[in-house]
Structures are given as structure tokens and as C-alpha cells.
Amino acid sequence: MIFRKGELFNGPGGFALGASLARVEANGELYTVQHQWSNDYCDSACDTYTANICPDKPESVHRGDVRKLDLTSFEDIDAFIYGFPCNDFSVVGEKKGFDGNYGPLYTYGIRVLEHYRPKWFIAENVGGLQSANEGAAFIKILSDMTAAGYRLTPHLYNFADYGVPQNRQRILIVGFRNDLNMEFKVPAPTHGPGRDHPYKTAYEAITSPPIAEDADNHHMPVHTERVKKFLSYIPEGQNAWSQEIPEELRLNVKNVKMSQIYRRLDRNSPSYTVTGSGGGGTHMYHWSENRALTSRERARLQTFPDNFVFHGTKEKVRQQIGMAVPPDGAKAIIEAVLKTYAGVQYKSIKAKWDIDHLLKQTSMELVTL
């Protein structure tokens, strides 16, 4: 069975690549996911998505502001994925929630659910969503998805637990259409202490196999001598606030000590979270070499293969890589979705949130939104 997939806010195609790799054989049938259509407002992301996901069907990638699209004019779909913009829910931003420009954009996914009635969907956002608008935004979103006719399983995932060489926490909401009488179970983590596999390390991701010198998106960063000297004093796994940095080289910043500023990777652990924006000192730094990572190295930490080429300026490429869902993590979750549909049992854990309990909290909170 092939599930035809629609996607909003497609980014460079991390979720789409993971979906294309997902395979489940059961009941004498092969269950897969196939790209049908997608949308994003960023031209560079659309160029990347088209080149890597659907080069033979460029017209299926609808470019532009989702608020200006006729969402009822696309082809029919059986599955839907959308990582609605997280800028207003992220702990890195101002956390404006529904009061920002991006917070309300999740409603366009609700419109897709109501019009196309896909069998299942996955929505993705940052962990900060759970506390936006003092928690009311999360409940409102879940309430609207439930009202659209879906049984939900929301959970806070760390993709490192599923073989991604990066500590990256994201909320995924998986929903099955009510009439299917199916309930998604959170797949049990496969990586980490006491599990089937150890965590995949940053060193393993970046060096095995070695990245070819002429690989796409692998331009070495250029630093001033002062920055290189500054980095030389930072031990592996530590950051700009290391006590080993000489006084004359330390940053002249008061009352701010963000942990990711000039932070080196720890080669024996998954990396910290790859981000898509930020000023000096936020580009992620090699465990021993006195430099920032290349875009290709950051893409490795996100589990993109080296033949997945990102299009656009250096900053647009960084943005795409940092905002993407790791394909290997997406594949693990989508295969659990396919097993659920096929009736295949798999190891699972209890979801972080009980949907019925959460929705009982709606009466007071929603009035204030």
C-alpha cells in the first residue's frame, strides 16, 4: 500500500526523505509513503526539496506563503506531514506563541485535515510549544486536531534515542483518523545505555566514512587569528566560558552565558542541537580543530547523506539544515506509523502526555486565547 503524502512547511526535505526510506512488509503487502505535493515560502528550501525529493515533479512543490494558497486545489492525499513554524514557540526566540506572526500558522494544517481527511498525519514542533501561552497554545492545537476527527498521540522525542547523532528534542503529534479505530504507540528508543545500540556519536557521524574534500556544502569556514587562538583554549565539550581561556581573550559579555557559544563538540557523545540561525559563536565547533563545522558536517549530524545537496546562500543552507527534521529520526517514527496501520506489533513506551487528560484542561485556558 502506498500512502500519498502532502506536506506543508516542507523545508529542505528531512521529513520527506525519511518518509521515502520508510518500509514495512506485513500481510503479504509492502507499506510505503510517496510524495504527492508540498509547500514552503522559502525559495532556497523549495529548490533543495525539489532537487532531492521530487526532481521529476517540480510542479508539485508549491512555493509561497501558505496563507495565500488555495489548499483545496491540490491532489488527494492519504497522509499529511507538517512541521509548522516554531519561531514563536522556541526557547531561543521571544516565545510569543499565538501572539507572534508564526504561531497561528498551524491552523492551515487543520484546514488540510478537514478537507482531505488523510488516514494519518504527523505534526512537528519544538519542545517550547508545551509552555507557550502558559501551556494554553499546546492544548488549543491538540483540541483543534481532535475536533478535525483524529485520535492523537503527542510525545516529546529526543532523536538521539533513535540513532541520530544529536541531542534534539522535538514534539511530534501523530494522529489517526477516528473511523480507522487505530491508536499510535510511541516506539521504544533503540539507542542509549541499556538499549539495543549505544548512542551514535558526533565523531562517528562526521568521520565514518570521511567526508570527501570536494563534497557539496563542505566549504571550510574562515576565522580570524584571534578567534582561532580563542578556540585553542577551549577544551573538548566546553564553551566560551571555560576557565582555561586567558583573561585577555575572554568575551566581554555581562550576565549572559549561553551554553552553545563557541561550544566544541564532545567526540564521544551525540552533538548538541544543530540550529538554523544565530550570530557569532553559534555555528557549532569541532572537538579538536580550531574552527566551526562545515555545512556538510552539520548535515551529517542531522543524518542527511552526502549526496543530498542543499541550495542557496551559505546562510540559507545553514538555516535549512538547522530547521530540518533528521531523516533517520523521521524514518523511525514513520515506520512505527506504518506498522500501526498494518497491525504489526512493536516495542513501545508510554507517551509523555495523555491526550484525554490534556483536553480536559481546555475550558479555562482556551477562553484566554
Side-chain angles (χ1 to χ4, degrees):
M1 179 174 186
I2 299 175
F3 291 93
R4 301 164 298 171
K5 171 185 59 67
E7 191 172 357
L8 291 184
F9 317 112
N10 56 233
F15 233 135
L17 179 59
S20 71
L21 298 173
R23 296 280 191 280
V24 169
E25 290 188 49
N27 316 314
E29 192 170 3
L30 179 63
Y31 294 80
T32 61
V33 181
Q34 177 180 286
H35 165 81
Q36 188 80 320
W37 52 258
S38 70
N39 155 258
D40 203 285
Y41 77 101
C42 175
D43 273 332
S44 295
C46 288
D47 288 342
T48 299
Y49 190 101
T50 301
N52 292 278
I53 303 301
C54 53
D56 57 340
K57 197 179 178 183
E59 72 282 358
S60 67
V61 179
H62 300 271
R63 300 168 182 245
D65 190 329
V66 68
R67 292 167 288 196
K68 298 179 181 179
L69 295 178
D70 179 4
L71 293 177
T72 66
S73 65
F74 302 157
E75 298 170 288
D76 286 338
I77 54 174
D78 311 298
F80 176 54
I81 293 174
Y82 78 125
F84 51 100
C86 61
N87 309 55
D88 292 323
F89 302 123
S90 173
V91 294
V92 177
E94 297 182 37
K95 297 184 70 174
K96 295 180 180 179
F98 284 149
D99 298 325
N101 293 323
Y102 300 100
L105 293 182
Y106 85 92
T107 60
Y108 291 86
I110 302 297
R111 296 183 189 184
V112 170
L113 296 178
E114 292 174 338
H115 180 77
Y116 292 98
R117 307 291 297 149
K119 294 179 172 65
W120 55 265
F121 78 91
I122 304 175
E124 178 262 350
N125 210 279
V126 293
L129 174 62
Q130 62 186 305
S131 57
N133 294 83
E134 299 181 342
F138 188 36
I139 294 172
K140 170 63 173 170
I141 291 169
L142 294 173
S143 179
D144 287 353
M145 291 174 174
T146 299
Y150 289 82
R151 173 70 183 180
L152 309 181
T153 305
H155 185 66
L156 181 64
Y157 295 80
N158 184 347
F159 285 117
D161 293 336
Y162 299 90
V164 175
Q166 175 191 173
N167 282 303
R168 188 180 187 87
Q169 292 195 341
R170 291 294 185 268
I171 290 174
L172 296 182
I173 305 166
V174 178
F176 273 86
R177 207 173 61 204
N178 285 339
D179 62 291
L180 297 176
N181 295 315
M182 296 176 180
E183 183 179 2
F184 179 76
K185 301 291 186 182
V186 177
T190 53
H191 291 65
R195 296 169 182 161
D196 293 341
H197 308 280
Y199 281 130
K200 190 171 182 180
T201 67
Y203 179 85
E204 180 184 356
I206 290 176
T207 66
S208 182
I211 301 174
E213 290 186 8
D214 61 349
D216 289 297
N217 310 122
H218 192 45
H219 305 293
M220 285 292 162
V222 177
H223 301 296
T224 64
E225 289 303 314
R226 180 179 176 83
V227 168
K228 287 189 284 188
K229 186 175 181 181
F230 176 79
L231 288 169
S232 72
Y233 287 99
I234 300 177
E236 181 172 341
Q238 295 190 33
N239 58 24
W241 320 116
S242 171
Q243 293 303 305
E244 297 189 27
I245 301 172
E247 190 71 35
E248 67 271 15
L249 289 177
R250 293 184 183 180
L251 300 182
N252 186 22
V253 180
K254 295 181 179 180
N255 303 319
V256 178
K257 287 193 175 182
M258 289 182 64
S259 65
Q260 295 196 25
I261 300 297
Y262 288 108
R263 182 178 173 186
R264 285 193 185 274
L265 296 176
D266 177 345
R267 78 183 78 191
N268 296 314
S269 302
S271 80
Y272 53 93
T273 303
V274 179
T275 58
S277 61
T282 63
H283 290 74
M284 308 189 77
Y285 293 82
H286 197 275
W287 53 82
S288 61
E289 298 177 21
N290 297 323
R291 63 172 179 84
L293 300 185
T294 69
S295 290
R296 180 51 56 192
E297 288 169 331
R298 287 193 291 270
R300 281 271 186 106
L301 296 176
Q302 282 277 59
T303 69
F304 283 98
D306 291 353
N307 62 0
F308 192 104
V309 180
F310 295 87
H311 294 252
T313 64
K314 180 175 66 175
E315 285 306 311
K316 283 294 183 181
V317 168
R318 182 192 176 191
Q319 181 185 66
Q320 291 171 55
I321 294 171
M323 297 293 283
V325 172
D328 284 7
K331 177 177 179 287
I333 305 307
I334 292 173
E335 286 189 341
V337 169
L338 298 179
K339 288 177 182 177
T340 301
Y341 191 89
V344 176
Q345 297 295 314
Y346 57 90
K347 292 181 181 180
S348 62
I349 60 173
K350 185 178 180 180
K352 177 177 174 63
W353 297 284
D354 179 272
I355 185 66
D356 295 325
H357 175 72
L358 278 175
L359 294 182
K360 287 179 182 178
Q361 303 178 40
T362 59
S363 55
M364 292 302 297
E365 291 93 332
L366 300 187
V367 173
T368 65
L369 291 177

